[in-house]
Amino acid sequence: MNFYSTNQKARPASFKEAIYQSLPPDNGLYFPETIPTIRKKVNPNLSLPEIGFEVMKPFAKDDLTSAELLHIVEDALNFSIPLIEVENNIHSLELFHGPTYAFKDVGARFLARCLSTFNTQSNREVTILVATSGDTGGAVASGFYKVPGVEVIILYPSGKVSELQEKQLTTLGENITALEVDGDFDACQSLVKSAFLDDDLKSAKNLSSANSINIARWIPQSIYYWWLSLQTGFDPNLVISVPSGNYGNIAAGLLAKKMGVPIKRFIAASNVNNVVPRYLETGKYLPTATIATYSNAMDVGNPSNFPRILELYGKAYTAIVQEISGGYLSDNETLDTMRSCLEKNNYQLDPHGAIGYQLLVDHLKEGETGAFLETAHPCKFLPVIHKINPTYTVPPFANNLLEKEKKSVKISHHFEEFKTFLLN
Ligand SMILES: *Cc1c(COP(=O)(O)O)cnc(C)c1O
């Protein structure tokens, strides 16, 4: 299958080309030329990797053999994704049982294994550059850990990520190098952008990015919507609430619905960075500057995947609002939600999942079945959790990580220093 650019100016790319390029040259987003319907191929006895195979097959089949794809999904989806009933009719899809305790593991691991397979096919080596403000870098680093033919350089802002997040970036070693940049996230991002524009680097290295808008990170997220529906016996009244920031996760859910998963409707659950809920309310899309919140992985003022949502509905506002409603919580409301859910259900939400939970509870109607996505493990946001649950202790797996020794290379925010590092 080919992928076209939502800006319509770049030429269509194959699955493999779209993955290597990440972004089309016209700055749009890659989008599948057709949306396959696979409802008949998903039977209730399939395992998670088997569903992954059926979902990804129509997109990947020109560039990956069935054996290669099966191997990729089995290896990428090697952790459980349980559906837990938190209270009557409100279910949590726990997406945090992967190696970095966040749903981004699904897409990052799939992308890493695709690149590794392509590299083996053509015997080439790539260097992946990633700038991270926290969660993404950990998932990418872990996803690419020990993957042959791939070297990963992660840039993170010194002193601006949580302790657990820093340990996830800096304790792996092997093919993963963490650069601790004296500057903020924007400085990290601008170093990466300059590298992609630098001719010396372009001729010396095969540079690539593991950007979150890459189709190999976006589309595999559809897999767990099929999995969720299957756990409910393909309940046609299923309503899913998705904690959203860059809107890739919910766009993958909408894609799954178009592919035939019986989902009734979606709730776009946001924090005060509420550009999409306001669009759903008013029909006007007005990006804003980002506001810092407790659910910081959702602090996005201009969500990059929004054009994919428009594309899925032929840009028709009336069609979009029939299937998606939106809402948002303030930081105080997020804390209140975490506190009350803990008291009522003895279930510790993380600040992102809490927003998904509360908007589901508020918006669910008679006769509907509710599920929200728990996008990260609460232990990743310890200072916030301690505000409402002072006795919360991190689970043993997180403690082990905290005890590991950090290894990073300190650099300034000057491009020449970064360039010299890359060339040596
Ligand atoms: C990235 C992230 C989100 C937002 O997901 P999008 O696909 O960008 O909307 C939500 N919660 C957590 C914990 C995240 O890491």
Side-chain angles (χ1 to χ4, degrees):
M1 181 181 304
N2 278 345
F3 295 79
Y4 65 89
S5 166
T6 52
N7 278 355
Q8 306 282 359
K9 294 198 181 74
R11 66 167 187 85
S14 70
F15 182 71
K16 184 169 164 176
E17 287 166 341
I19 290 175
Y20 271 114
Q21 283 198 27
S22 245
L23 259 184
D26 66 359
N27 250 326
L29 296 174
Y30 281 121
F31 195 88
E33 278 187 342
T34 51
I35 294 175
T37 45
I38 59 160
R39 179 69 175 89
K40 287 198 202 78
K41 296 197 173 144
V42 179
N43 75 53
N45 303 318
L46 294 189
S47 67
L48 180 63
E50 284 166 342
I51 292 179
F53 178 81
E54 295 300 342
V55 171
M56 296 313 296
K57 174 91 183 156
F59 300 104
K61 64 175 188 290
D62 299 338
D63 294 300
L64 294 169
T65 66
S66 289
E68 284 170 336
L69 180 60
L70 194 61
H71 184 72
I72 290 171
V73 289
E74 279 174 349
D75 206 29
L77 300 167
N78 68 348
F79 50 89
S80 65
I81 304 185
L83 186 67
I84 309 288
E85 186 162 37
V86 172
E87 62 190 56
N88 186 27
N89 213 20
I90 301 287
H91 304 80
S92 168
L93 186 72
E94 294 187 345
L95 288 163
F96 55 72
H97 296 279
T100 74
Y101 330 124
F103 81 95
K104 290 190 176 70
D105 282 328
V106 172
R109 291 173 68 78
F110 185 86
L111 167 65
R113 279 149 191 80
C114 282
L115 280 176
S116 164
T117 307
F118 296 148
N119 288 348
T120 328
Q121 286 170 351
S122 63
N123 214 348
R124 71 178 195 171
E125 301 239 322
V126 277
T127 302
I128 306 270
L129 301 180
V130 211
T132 184
S133 59
D135 253 19
T136 306
V140 170
S142 153
F144 281 98
Y145 180 58
K146 290 189 180 172
V147 168
V150 186
E151 183 196 15
V152 180
I153 315 270
I154 299 197
L155 296 88
Y156 73 96
S158 183
K160 295 197 173 64
V161 302
S162 82
E163 196 187 353
L164 191 85
Q165 285 173 334
E166 184 171 41
K167 288 291 169 84
Q168 287 182 332
L169 303 174
T170 57
T171 57
L172 289 167
E174 301 268 351
N175 59 330
I176 314 292
T177 306
L179 296 186
E180 187 174 351
V181 178
D182 184 18
D184 57 11
F185 171 60
D186 291 327
C188 299
Q189 225 167 3
S190 113
L191 287 175
V192 169
K193 279 192 185 144
S194 308
F196 282 109
L197 297 172
D198 187 273
D199 290 331
D200 300 334
L201 283 174
K202 276 200 285 194
S203 56
K205 297 239 160 196
N206 232 328
L207 295 181
S208 188
S209 103
N211 203 302
S212 69
I213 46 84
N214 196 302
I215 55 159
R217 284 186 59 185
W218 175 50
I219 299 178
Q221 299 175 131
S222 299
I223 298 166
Y224 49 72
Y225 289 89
W226 282 95
W227 176 247
L228 165 52
S229 169
L230 186 146
Q231 309 296 307
T232 67
F234 298 118
D235 184 339
N237 294 312
L238 178 62
V239 175
I240 306 179
S241 175
V242 187
S244 296
N246 236 339
Y247 284 79
N249 196 355
I250 195 169
L254 300 168
L255 177 68
K257 180 167 160 61
K258 288 251 147 82
M259 291 176 80
V261 198
I263 298 167
K264 188 175 169 200
R265 61 189 185 91
F266 288 85
I267 298 164
S270 161
N271 60 29
V272 292
N273 295 283
N274 57 3
V275 52
V276 174
R278 276 188 293 119
Y279 164 80
L280 295 168
E281 192 85 357
T282 65
K284 293 197 184 75
Y285 185 74
L286 303 167
T288 54
T290 301
I291 303 163
T293 74
Y294 292 152
S295 45
N296 59 11
M298 291 158 45
D299 293 351
V300 184
N302 188 10
S304 355
N305 281 290
F306 186 68
R308 285 189 167 131
I309 296 182
L310 293 179
E311 205 69 22
L312 279 160
Y313 291 91
K315 304 192 175 67
Y317 173 73
T318 45
I320 293 177
V321 291
Q322 265 173 22
E323 298 194 346
I324 320 169
S325 62
Y328 66 97
L329 295 193
S330 67
D331 272 350
N332 278 334
E333 288 166 336
T334 306
L335 289 185
D336 287 344
T337 299
M338 288 163 60
R339 191 182 294 115
S340 65
C341 182
L342 185 64
E343 278 167 8
K344 195 165 138 201
N345 306 311
N346 197 24
Y347 190 82
Q348 179 64 66
L349 294 159
D350 99 286
H352 306 77
I355 297 179
Y357 162 87
Q358 189 60 50
L359 288 166
L360 180 65
V361 169
D362 293 347
H363 289 224
L364 204 65
K365 295 177 194 149
E366 195 63 36
E368 292 178 334
T369 304
F372 66 98
L373 305 191
E374 229 323 348
T375 47
H377 195 288
C379 73
K380 297 188 86 170
F381 306 95
L382 211 50
V384 184
I385 306 297
H386 277 163
K387 285 182 198 288
I388 61 109
N389 184 3
T391 59
Y392 179 86
T393 47
V394 295
F397 62 75
N399 246 333
N400 293 344
L401 185 63
L402 288 170
E403 277 161 19
K404 285 195 187 161
E405 193 196 342
K406 157 183 161 182
K407 285 206 183 78
S408 68
V409 179
K410 293 201 172 184
I411 62 163
S412 74
H413 61 274
H414 297 296
F415 179 63
E416 285 310 315
E417 194 180 333
F418 178 47
K419 181 172 168 178
T420 311
F421 173 84
L422 287 178
L423 288 172
N424 292 330

